[in-house]
């Protein structure tokens, strides 16, 4: 008997009865041996691949909105008509089959052509295309921008200048599976070498830009090389805050931002027995979880009374601390590292810990020096308008470095989230091509601690009420952060659909506000 004969899922190739299928319903099935979902949207029926191209999230459990479906894990969005990845973090399309309807039965026929560079959209040459584009920064925002320029049909020269040693990589993975030893090296680059060659994206590594002349439209590298541009995107991200600890040597203290940083920690972890992590931030805690997965004793030292308290409040902080304690992490909260003598690490309360090395995860600061020296407007980040354009015409900024007017909070915000960085890169690319698209995505991030993932939509720097639905202990919970009557953000554990629905509700609320405002 063949595998497909054993597979109980309906084969959409053989026909699927639409009776009883409500508008917006998605059914899991297959097309021959490929997992697929069938979606009804009004009279239209779509059959597309069942798994998200980011991390294989189950799209059947996602949210259908119009002719799109959103992934429940990290909120990527795909077109049901073409399979195109409309919003990061997915960058690649999913397979889409032509559907033929005979009476009340739908049949999946041949796969539709995959959307390729420039095919899905009007050619950029018909809009205001610049003569050349330079992108400073080879992170999530920079890569997503270059990718989108080509997807939009832009044909001119695209250059990425990156200070990194490695091509753009899946940075969030560096503190998770890669550090834990469950992801291989070849999972980490976002794109293959062939991708850059095929798309004619000139990726220059180890190329730190030292100055920017906005008037002459020129950037200069540390080695003196110069590049001229017609349009520029600054996507220089953020860099770890460095601590001066008496007695610390470079070989004992590690920071984690780049692929090279993560490889260096992995190399040390192979023979280490005990590690001290300074900082109970997301990155510090993810490092703790990954090193515990390698069987290393981990001590976390941090000045706050609960981890993540400032970002998510004491309830979530306590839950995350317990999660880590259950796995053997020892916390030294309300304390800081005072000095290091060889293997001995002394804390502010005179506790001494023995460790093979330390990882410092005490926050990051946006890499704004280049923009500041070029005279761009700075506001605790590079100030951009709703189109992500800086104070200089034709110069855009995206990602961790940019502070933008967020329509959901009504405030100018800067965040350090992967999905936001990639989506801003995509929108900046479109605006470089003259699309005039506002950046109005609801901020989203996720963080992973062992088998628990926390998803967070919205943005709350200050709140006056926290409402809990479900319980964190049961690992089935939604935590809402409100100021007055206004819902600012929702953190969820095991409630992925609710997270997507909240994102959608926030979008609709912001659209309603912007359409009722008088024209400028
Ligand atoms: C270990 C780790 C885990 C994370 N996990 C998560 C997560 O789970 N969820 C989440 O939402 N976010 C996570 N983040 C945050 C997320 O990765 C960042 O928000 C995102 O990488 C920002 O993208 P970016 O393109 O703005 O900056 P970056 O990815 O930092 O890229 C900046 C680029 O600019 C280059 N650069 C800087 N200055 C110059 C210069 N002068 N000249 C040339 N190049 C320059 C750098 O070399 C780099 O290539 C994590 C971050 C780290 C470090
Ligand atoms: S798995 Fe779908 S967005 Fe990450």
């Amino acid at each position: 008997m063949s595998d497909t004969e054993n597979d109980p899922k309906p084969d959409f190739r053989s026909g699927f009865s639409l009776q009883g299928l409500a508008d917006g319903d998605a059914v899991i099935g297959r097309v021959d041996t490929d997992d697929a979902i069938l979606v009804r949207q009004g009279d239209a029926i779509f059959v597309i691949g069942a798994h998200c191209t980011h991390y294989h999230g189950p799209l059947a459990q996602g949210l259908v909105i119009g002719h799109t479906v959103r992934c429940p894990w990290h909120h990527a969005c795909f077109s049901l008509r073409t399979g195109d990845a409309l919003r990061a973090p997915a960058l690649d399309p999913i397979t889409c089959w032509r559907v033929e309807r005979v009476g009340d039965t739908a049949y999946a026929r041949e796969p539709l052509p995959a959307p390729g560079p420039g095919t899905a959209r009007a050619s950029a040459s018909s809009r205001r295309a610049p003569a050349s584009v330079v992108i400073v920064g080879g992170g999530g925002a920079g890569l997503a921008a270059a990718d989108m320029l080509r997807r939009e049909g832009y044909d001119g020269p695209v250059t990425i200048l990156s200070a990194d040693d490695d091509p753009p990589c899946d940075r969030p993975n560096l503190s998770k599976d890669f550090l834990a030893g469950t992801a291989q090296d070849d999972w980490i680059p976002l794109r293959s070498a062939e991708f850059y060659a095929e798309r004619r994206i000139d990726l220059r590594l180890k190329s730190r830009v030292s100055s920017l002349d906005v008037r002459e439209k020129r950037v200069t590298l540390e080695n003196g090389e110069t590049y001229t541009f017609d349009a520029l995107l600054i996507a220089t991200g953020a860099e770890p805050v460095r601590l001066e600890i008496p007695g610390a040597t470079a070989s004992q203290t590690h920071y984690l931002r780049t692929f090279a940083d993560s490889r260096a920690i992995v190399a040390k972890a192979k023979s280490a027995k005990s590690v001290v992590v300074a900082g109970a931030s997301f990155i510090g805690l993810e490092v703790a979880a990954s090193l515990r997965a390698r069987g290393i004793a981990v001590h976390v030292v941090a000045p706050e009374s609960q981890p993540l308290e400032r970002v998510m409040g004491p309830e979530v902080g306590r839950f995350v601390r317990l999660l880590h304690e259950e796995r053997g992490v020892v916390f030294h909260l309300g304390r800081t590292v005072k000095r290091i003598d060889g293997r001995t690490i002394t804390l502010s309360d005179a506790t001494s810990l023995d460790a093979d090395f330390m990882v410092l995860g005490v926050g990051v600061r946006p890499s704004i020096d280049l923009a500041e020296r070029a005279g761009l407007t700075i506001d605790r980040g590079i100030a951009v308008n709703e189109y992500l354009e800086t104070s200089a015409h034709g110069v855009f900024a995206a990602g961790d470095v940019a502070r933008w007017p967020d329509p959901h909070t009504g405030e100018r915000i800067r965040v350090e989230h992967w999905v936001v960085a990639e989506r801003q890169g995509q929108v900046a690319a479109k605006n470089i091509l003259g699309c005039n698209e506002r950046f109005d995505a609801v901020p989203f991030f996720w963080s992973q601690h062992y088998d628990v993932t926390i998803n967070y939509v919205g943005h709350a720097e200050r709140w006056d009420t926290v409402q809990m639905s479900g319980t964190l202990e049961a690992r089935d919970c939604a935590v809402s952060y409100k100021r007055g009557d206004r819902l600012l953000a929702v953190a969820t554990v095991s409630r992925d659909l609710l997270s997507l629905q909240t994102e959608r509700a926030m979008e609709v609320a912001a659209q309603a506000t912007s359409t009722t405002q008088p024209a400028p």
Side-chain angles (χ1 to χ4, degrees), residues 30-355:
R30 63 193 165 91
V31 179
D32 306 327
T33 54
D34 292 324
D35 288 340
I37 57 169
L38 181 145
V39 180
R40 176 175 209 149
Q41 195 44 267
D43 282 341
I45 307 295
F46 304 97
V47 175
I48 59 165
H51 302 292
C52 173
T53 53
H54 178 229
Y55 275 18
H56 306 287
L59 294 178
Q61 292 164 32
L63 185 65
V64 174
I65 300 169
H67 291 159
T68 66
V69 59
R70 296 187 187 186
C71 176
W73 285 1
H74 316 110
H75 295 201
C77 177
F78 296 92
S79 162
L80 290 168
R81 289 180 189 282
T82 63
D84 204 2
L86 301 175
R87 286 189 190 200
L91 298 174
D92 292 314
I94 37 178
T95 309
C96 215
W97 285 268
R98 185 172 70 79
V99 178
E100 194 176 329
R101 196 167 164 176
V102 181
D104 257 355
T105 306
Y107 294 88
R109 302 300 194 200
E110 73 284 356
L112 297 171
T119 53
R121 300 170 180 87
S123 162
S125 58
S126 62
R127 300 193 298 257
R128 195 184 64 216
S132 63
V133 182
V134 168
I135 297 167
V136 184
L143 185 271
D147 179 68
M148 187 54 81
L149 286 169
R150 291 301 185 225
R151 281 167 63 183
E152 286 283 322
Y154 177 62
D155 205 30
V158 175
T159 307
I160 300 179
L161 302 171
S162 172
D164 282 351
D165 297 348
D166 295 282
C169 72
D170 184 355
R171 216 175 285 290
N173 206 314
L174 300 179
S175 52
K176 303 179 182 72
D177 294 339
F178 181 74
L179 193 57
T182 50
Q184 313 306 315
D185 281 39
D186 58 1
W187 291 19
I188 301 304
L190 289 175
R191 294 299 198 185
S192 64
E194 295 75 48
F195 168 86
Y196 298 100
E198 279 165 15
R199 307 279 157 116
R200 293 178 300 107
I201 296 168
D202 187 8
L203 173 63
R204 303 276 161 154
L205 301 175
K206 301 179 185 169
S207 299
R208 183 172 288 278
V209 176
S210 56
S211 71
L212 158 64
D213 188 329
V214 172
R215 222 196 272 179
E216 296 296 320
K217 296 195 160 194
R218 189 176 59 215
V219 290
T220 306
L221 302 190
E222 276 178 342
N223 67 9
E225 268 181 54
T226 60
Y227 291 80
T228 54
F229 59 82
D230 196 10
L232 182 78
L233 175 65
I234 305 177
T236 43
E239 54 208 291
V241 171
R242 310 233 159 215
L243 284 186
E244 290 289 332
I245 303 174
T249 62
S251 69
Q252 278 172 314
T253 46
H254 288 259
Y255 292 88
L256 177 52
R257 185 77 192 176
T258 65
F259 193 11
D261 293 339
S262 192
R263 285 194 298 255
I265 299 174
V266 167
K268 283 276 189 70
K270 283 183 177 153
S271 58
K273 301 247 174 325
S274 173
V275 172
V276 167
V277 175
S281 62
F282 288 107
I283 291 181
L285 293 176
E286 288 186 353
V287 167
S290 296
L291 295 181
R292 284 301 299 138
R294 288 177 178 269
I296 297 171
V298 178
H299 293 263
V300 173
V301 180
E304 53 266 45
S305 53
Q306 286 295 357
L308 308 178
E309 187 168 5
R310 188 181 55 79
V311 187
M312 302 190 111
E315 299 85 356
V316 178
R318 193 165 46 246
F319 166 68
V320 172
R321 177 165 61 79
L322 289 173
L323 270 182
H324 284 268
E325 284 176 344
E326 277 167 17
R327 308 290 173 121
V329 174
V330 180
F331 283 89
H332 304 268
L333 297 169
R335 278 161 272 186
T336 54
V337 173
K338 270 287 168 238
R339 63 172 189 279
I340 305 181
D341 304 295
R343 296 182 55 93
T344 306
I345 293 169
T346 308
L347 309 190
S348 47
D349 67 344
T351 303
S352 64
L353 303 170
D354 175 74

